[in-house]
Structure formats: C-alpha cells, structure tokens
Amino acid sequence: MLEVRGLRKAFGAVKATDGVDLALAEGAIHALIGPNGAGKSTLIAQLCGELRPDAGSIVLDGEDVTRLPAFARARKGLSRSFQITELCPDYTALENVVLSLMLTSGRAFQAWSNPRRDSGLVGGARRWLAEVGLGDRGDAHVRDLAHGEKRQLELAVALARSPRLLLLDEPMAGMGSEESSRMTTLLLGLKRRYTILLVEHDMDAVFALADRLTVLVYGKTIFTGTPDEVRAHPEVRSAYLGEQAC
C-alpha cells in the first residue's frame, strides 16, 4: 500500500530523514518507533505532503505521490491523526464528524443547506462515533470531552474519510493506562480493515498491535522486522528499547 524509497530531508546540517526506506503491506499495522529526535514527525509530515522531501520517493498503492500537495493525497485515501489533537473545540463531537463527511463528499461549501438536518450526514456521523466507542457522546462539545475521548473522536474524524492508509501519530500520547488500553482495543478492532502506520512510544501497545516495526534513529532506518525480531535485535535494544524489551 505504501512504499518509501530513499527519503531525505535536511534542515541545514541536521538530517531529519536520511535515506529512509519503508514498505507497508495492505491491511497491516506497521509501527514506526524510535527515540525523540529520530525523525518520526518529519517523516510523517513528508508522507502527508506537509513537507517536500529533498530526495527520494513516496508511492501510494502504486502511484508516485511525492510531489502532490497534502489535500491531493487526502483525496487519494491518506488520512491521519495528530500528536496534538486537532479538532473544532466549539463544535460537538457529532458536528466534527459531520464536517469530515462533508469534506469527503465535497459538500463542505453548500452553504444553502443545514448539515445538522441532513439525515444521511448525521446518521453516518453517529455510526462512526459508535465505531470508536463514543456513541453516547455525540452531543457533547469537544471542549467538554476527556482527553482520551478527544483522541477517540479524532480517530472517528479520520475514519469518516474512508481512508486507504491511516497514519496515526502517537494516538496514546497523554493517556493514562486505562485510556491506552481502551485505544489499543479499539485499534485491534480496525486491524485488517485498514492499512495503518502507527507512530507510538507506548511499547506495550506497539507490540500488541503491530505486524511489523521499523526502528528510526537519527533519521535512518536501522531495522525492520516482526515484534519478536525487533525485541531480540541488539542494536535496537541498545538504541531505544533497553531493558523494556525483556
């Protein structure tokens, strides 16, 4: 579904991504892990079209999208969540998902209609809220949701775009153990239905979810393998996992 070849991005003398290669099989959850400053956020920004790489290519389902802007990649089925939640705080949870559905269908600028009265949009939004465990929270304003609920809502907003590839940038960030467990269970329910690139520091969640992992250190991919192979790899243990891999 996704193939990245030789991706490079430098900021002055700092090589944020330095010849990154990455391949995601359709329907798999592929985790991208590494210490802070490894280049994970820069890589995600390049995959989404927010940053143009200095070199290399990004191929989505056989099509080279390296030079396409972010909105064009979204139209081709790439959807994402963010490290810091990006939602409309003065809207309800339902309205946030309705907005996502409107953007997907190209109806966002039909100002003469009231989307809150559109049974198709509202019904679709309620189904996505139920999908992520927020079926009873549709009328709550985003500002009144708990942190974990906001992360669930952001996932609903992303899923409402019917993505072919879903990029999840630290979906457990800021969560307690109970919230992280709930999100892990939710993502397990999406497995095989979506192709997912997961960036996450919660190693319990990563090893529970991922089919394969790529380890990024100082902008370079140092290893890609199964969870068991990553746990056992001496360079990965030394660079990132340490004793938590035991």
Side-chain angles (χ1 to χ4, degrees):
M1 179 59 71
L2 178 72
E3 187 172 7
V4 177
R5 306 177 189 133
L7 210 61
R8 299 180 186 274
K9 184 66 181 180
F11 301 97
V14 177
K15 296 178 180 178
T17 51
D18 190 8
V20 172
D21 294 324
L22 187 66
L24 272 68
E26 185 171 1
I29 296 180
H30 193 121
L32 179 67
I33 65 172
N36 291 330
K40 301 185 298 296
S41 293
T42 301
L43 176 58
I44 290 294
Q46 291 173 88
L47 296 180
C48 294
E50 297 163 6
L51 280 176
R52 178 166 289 188
D54 299 328
S57 63
I58 302 166
V59 178
L60 177 63
D61 198 19
E63 181 179 356
D64 191 323
V65 299
T66 311
R67 296 188 173 276
L68 291 183
F71 74 86
R73 298 185 200 194
R75 287 176 178 169
K76 291 186 178 295
L78 194 154
S79 189
R80 70 166 297 183
S81 68
F82 296 83
Q83 277 188 38
I84 300 173
T85 304
E86 298 284 343
L87 295 165
C88 300
D90 293 328
Y91 287 8
T92 66
L94 180 70
E95 288 167 343
N96 272 264
V97 183
V98 165
L99 179 59
S100 183
L101 289 169
M102 290 175 67
L103 291 168
T104 303
S105 64
R107 299 172 59 185
F109 301 103
Q110 292 182 7
W112 56 86
S113 63
N114 185 342
R116 296 178 182 86
R117 298 176 181 173
D118 187 312
S119 60
L121 286 172
V122 171
R126 291 200 183 279
R127 285 192 292 274
W128 286 117
L129 288 172
E131 177 81 14
V132 301
L134 294 177
D136 61 346
R137 298 292 277 157
D139 295 329
H141 285 84
V142 169
R143 62 176 178 268
D144 296 326
L145 297 176
H147 175 71
E149 291 177 323
K150 291 177 182 177
R151 304 301 276 182
Q152 291 169 257
L153 176 57
E154 190 168 40
L155 182 58
V157 168
L159 291 174
R161 300 186 67 85
S162 299
R164 297 161 68 194
L165 173 62
L166 186 58
L167 306 183
L168 302 181
D169 195 356
E170 298 190 28
M172 282 77 162
M175 287 186 175
S177 59
E178 185 176 335
E179 290 176 323
S180 292
S181 178
R182 189 181 305 120
M183 179 61 76
T184 300
T185 300
L186 175 57
L187 294 179
L188 279 171
L190 302 179
K191 202 166 186 175
R192 309 287 176 247
R193 296 164 55 192
Y194 299 92
T195 304
I196 298 174
L197 178 62
L198 172 69
V199 179
E200 185 52 61
H201 286 290
D202 184 331
M203 289 297 100
D204 289 337
V206 166
F207 286 124
L209 289 166
D211 299 292
R212 293 180 68 78
L213 296 87
T214 292
V215 186
L216 194 67
V217 177
Y218 295 125
K220 292 181 177 290
T221 49
I222 65 170
F223 187 71
T224 295
T226 66
D228 286 342
E229 290 170 337
V230 168
R231 278 193 183 100
H233 196 280
E235 188 176 357
V236 174
R237 291 172 64 96
S238 174
Y240 183 55
L241 292 179
E243 293 307 311
Q244 64 181 307
C246 296

